[in-house]
Structure formats: C-alpha cells, structure tokens
Amino acid sequence: QVEFLESGGESVQVGGSLRLSCVASGFSFEHYAMGWFRQAPGKERQAVSCISWRSASTSSDGNIYYLDSVKGRFTISRDNAKNTVYLQMNGLKPEDTATYYCAAVAYSNRYSCGENNLLVWGQGTLVTISS
C-alpha cells in the first residue's frame, strides 16, 4: 500500500536549519509530483513546497512551488532512485513550527501545488522553532 515516512524534524533555535526527508513506497514515485505540507496547532494544513516528477531543485525551475513565506529559505528536491523527497529549511522562524507531512500531489508549478491525489498521509515529523 501507499506509505510515506517523514523524518528529520526536531527542536531548533531561530535561524537554524533542518533537512526533512520523506521516503515513499507503494506507487510509482518517479511519475508523481510530490509536496511538503505543514499543519500548526489550531490551523489548517497548508502546502509549503511542491516539485513535479521531473524537476531539479533549482529556483528557476518552473515546476516548483513555494509558499511565499518560505521563498528564499526552503529548498525542495527529490531523488527518484531512492523514492525520496527532501526539504532543506534554512533561516527558520517561530512561525515555521508545525508538523510537516509529505504527499503525492496532482501537479506542481510555480504558482500552485495540487491536492494530495493518493489520499494518504504519513505520520508527519514535528519541527519546533524556539526563540
């Protein structure tokens, strides 16, 4: 069955960095766009960054989406040989505190990120930023 295993979250101070990883299984990873989402306590889940199935992680790639508040600080990438998607997070702020999830999404472009189209979420990984 479809599964996502997120890791890399921990408690860090403002300005710190983390690298999240998500290993996917149970579907043809290389044929799907992938996304990172986050949910803070009391708030709705939101898309943070998405990457199409064929994208590199360069900022000029038109098939990569970033939430405005993370542009210039976060970088998404993927390794199709390892069925893994990454999220490098630098310059972390208290408002980045949330549980982070990955999912397969319907599409990714520079303007928006599609919905979770396999309807499966992992357990998430908790990121806590303290000042």
Side-chain angles (χ1 to χ4, degrees):
Q1 72 266 25
V2 175
E3 291 185 340
F4 301 97
L5 183 61
E6 302 94 342
S7 63
E10 61 180 85
S11 180
V12 297
Q13 292 190 330
V14 169
S17 297
L18 287 173
R19 188 193 195 205
L20 306 184
S21 299
C22 170
V23 180
S25 60
F27 65 102
S28 298
F29 177 84
E30 67 273 19
H31 294 146
Y32 281 79
M34 293 294 298
W36 282 98
F37 297 75
R38 68 186 181 188
Q39 187 167 22
K43 295 187 177 181
E44 293 187 355
R45 184 150 33 198
Q46 64 178 169
V48 175
S49 181
C50 294
I51 184 169
S52 72
W53 61 273
R54 58 182 176 182
S55 287
S57 62
T58 57
S59 59
S60 60
D61 192 315
N63 294 314
I64 290 179
Y65 166 81
Y66 290 106
L67 184 68
D68 283 348
S69 62
V70 308
K71 285 180 180 177
R73 300 189 296 123
F74 290 11
T75 302
I76 192 171
S77 62
R78 65 188 296 160
D79 184 339
N80 288 343
K82 296 182 179 179
N83 282 13
T84 302
V85 60
Y86 305 97
L87 187 67
Q88 177 67 44
M89 307 188 296
N90 300 327
L92 285 162
K93 303 177 180 180
E95 52 264 41
D96 295 319
T97 294
T99 299
Y100 285 70
Y101 304 86
C102 74
V105 296
Y107 66 88
S108 175
N109 59 51
R110 68 180 66 199
Y111 304 110
S112 65
C113 177
E115 294 181 348
N116 178 346
N117 62 345
L118 295 181
L119 305 179
V120 174
W121 295 101
Q123 85 291 345
T125 187
L126 178 62
V127 172
T128 304
I129 311 303
S130 58
S131 56

